[in-house]
Amino acid sequence: MAKSALITGITGQDGSYLAELLLEQGYEVHGMVRRASTEKFDRIEHLRDKITLHQGDLLDQRSLVDTLRASKPDEIYNLAAMSFVATSWVQPTLTAEFTGVGVTRVLEAMREVCPEARFYQASSSEMFGKVLEVPQTEDTPFYPRSPYGVAKAYGHFITVNYRESYDLHATSGILFNHESPRRGLEFVTRKITWHAAAIKLGQKKELRLGNLDAKRDWGYAKDYVEAMWLMLQQDKAEDYVIATNQTNTVEECVKIAFDQAGLGDYEPYVVIDPAFVRPAEVDLLIGSYDKAEKDLGWKPKTTFEELIRLMVDADLKLLSQ
């Protein structure tokens, strides 16, 4: 019997890569999608005939129970969230509902329908926020600096709580920033690679950015979804930091992207715009993946430079069409 997996947020960057990985592993893959005013299925268009989609919403308990009954999952990957940090300042309570309380609804539905299943919660390095130690590990205290980070911390602790209270196989992956050609255009790395390609092709003239000195630990989403899957193959559910243990600035990202696009120096094209500076910036987010390497045999395969170059190539190809 093939294993069955349910992915919430299957239309997102991570959901689409995870769906591909699970299909390769022989899983029957189910995805939960919201009935939104704009249906965005482009990331999973090439998989539509290989997966089963269910309509459900993290704000609606009934729909979660129905989705779990219909998909009968062995593994549940909760990747759905209000995922863009900047928007969390504009819609803080909605972010809390989706990204925080939504996790509880999924866990409650699982407890009712399929308590034997294994559950993965997408936690985030944004929970560390104003960091209390560098690098961050599974034991570093949280100090979130955005409504998104606060909501993710709730989602994280409720997962731990259900694991300990109800003996569920529930795991949180504390993933640091991870990017790919499928990243949304509002995220800084993709915004940079897309603009580098557009400027090269004469479709845009400038790139507007906020803080060029902001540093992040950036990895490749395709590497990171493998870590999610590995976590649910363990006999014991534990939480893991998934990161590269290296940090780069936004400026370094711009330099590599403009070099790959064949534009040379970036300065003539980049405009610093205060509109893109966050109300509270996070400090040095850099994660240690030691525990994941020890327990899961996981480590990042793709360097930051390789990642940005492959994203620029993908955007040049996309915009040339």
Side-chain angles (χ1 to χ4, degrees):
M1 263 292 274
K3 268 193 193 169
S4 167
L6 172 69
I7 304 171
T8 73
I10 195 169
T11 58
Q13 166 186 259
D14 294 10
S16 64
Y17 281 117
L18 180 61
E20 286 173 354
L21 173 74
L22 294 174
L23 287 167
E24 279 165 28
Q25 302 280 357
Y27 281 67
E28 185 185 301
V29 176
H30 297 261
M32 190 178 87
V33 292
R34 266 195 306 159
R35 176 76 194 90
S37 53
T38 51
E39 294 286 12
K40 290 262 302 175
F41 291 117
D42 42 347
R43 293 190 185 94
I44 56 166
E45 203 51 62
H46 62 297
L47 305 172
R48 282 294 287 274
D49 55 345
K50 300 189 183 90
I51 59 183
T52 309
L53 296 180
H54 304 265
Q55 277 195 5
D57 195 309
L58 291 183
L59 304 188
D60 187 315
Q61 188 75 38
R62 179 84 257 141
S63 71
L64 297 176
V65 169
D66 290 345
T67 297
L68 289 179
R69 287 209 169 113
S71 56
K72 301 187 174 64
D74 298 295
E75 296 174 5
I76 300 163
Y77 295 88
N78 185 40
L79 310 186
M82 206 298 298
S83 67
F84 187 47
V85 177
T87 308
S88 77
W89 300 98
V90 187
Q91 299 183 317
T93 43
L94 186 67
T95 299
E97 279 288 350
F98 270 120
T99 306
V101 184
V103 185
T104 318
R105 292 195 190 96
V106 182
L107 287 163
E108 270 297 296
M110 172 183 166
R111 204 161 71 85
E112 182 183 326
V113 178
C114 51
E116 298 308 307
R118 295 183 171 195
F119 176 83
Y120 172 85
Q121 166 59 14
S123 284
S124 164
S125 59
E126 288 286 329
M127 302 185 303
F128 295 121
K130 192 174 169 60
V131 303
L132 300 176
E133 63 180 6
V134 179
Q136 292 89 55
T137 70
E138 293 78 9
D139 301 319
T140 304
F142 299 148
Y143 191 151
R145 297 268 279 169
S146 65
Y148 173 81
V150 173
K152 278 289 185 189
Y154 174 95
H156 179 85
F157 281 124
I158 201 73
T159 301
V160 172
N161 188 255
Y162 271 61
R163 173 171 76 218
E164 294 175 351
S165 307
Y166 302 116
D167 204 23
L168 297 179
H169 194 295
T171 290
S172 285
I174 306 172
L175 271 55
F176 280 63
N177 291 63
H178 45 290
E179 316 298 310
S180 77
R182 297 182 195 172
R183 191 59 142 148
L185 288 170
E186 68 274 25
F187 291 89
V188 71
T189 50
R190 180 72 199 290
K191 180 178 172 178
I192 290 167
T193 63
W194 187 92
H195 276 83
I199 291 167
K200 175 64 178 176
L201 296 168
Q203 298 172 11
K204 284 271 181 274
K205 291 196 165 49
E206 63 176 32
L207 162 61
R208 302 182 83 83
L209 290 169
N211 180 9
L212 286 188
D213 299 322
K215 291 192 174 89
R216 292 287 185 280
D217 180 329
W218 276 300
Y220 184 21
K222 204 172 173 177
D223 293 348
Y224 283 34
V225 299
E226 202 173 311
M228 300 175 183
W229 175 73
L230 286 166
M231 284 177 219
L232 294 201
Q233 310 318 305
Q234 308 305 305
D235 294 334
K236 188 165 180 279
E238 289 189 36
D239 305 322
Y240 293 93
V241 164
I242 301 299
T244 69
N245 205 6
Q246 287 178 345
T247 181
N248 289 278
T249 62
V250 171
E251 185 179 23
E252 284 167 68
C253 179
V254 174
K255 281 181 180 161
I256 296 167
F258 276 67
D259 178 66
Q260 186 64 14
L263 288 164
D265 184 24
Y266 72 85
E267 281 175 0
Y269 308 102
V270 173
V271 179
I272 302 304
D273 185 340
F276 293 114
V277 178
R278 286 187 191 180
E281 181 55 88
V282 293
D283 299 331
L284 188 52
L285 285 176
I286 177 166
S288 163
Y289 59 86
D290 286 358
K291 182 181 172 188
E293 186 171 24
K294 188 169 113 290
D295 294 3
L296 312 174
W298 182 90
K299 58 176 192 281
K301 296 175 185 158
T302 313
T303 67
F304 178 67
E305 184 171 334
E306 287 166 347
L307 169 65
I308 298 306
R309 291 186 187 278
L310 78 84
M311 286 173 67
V312 171
D313 288 348
D315 279 327
L316 282 166
K317 193 174 155 194
L318 177 75
L319 293 173
S320 303
Q321 294 161 1

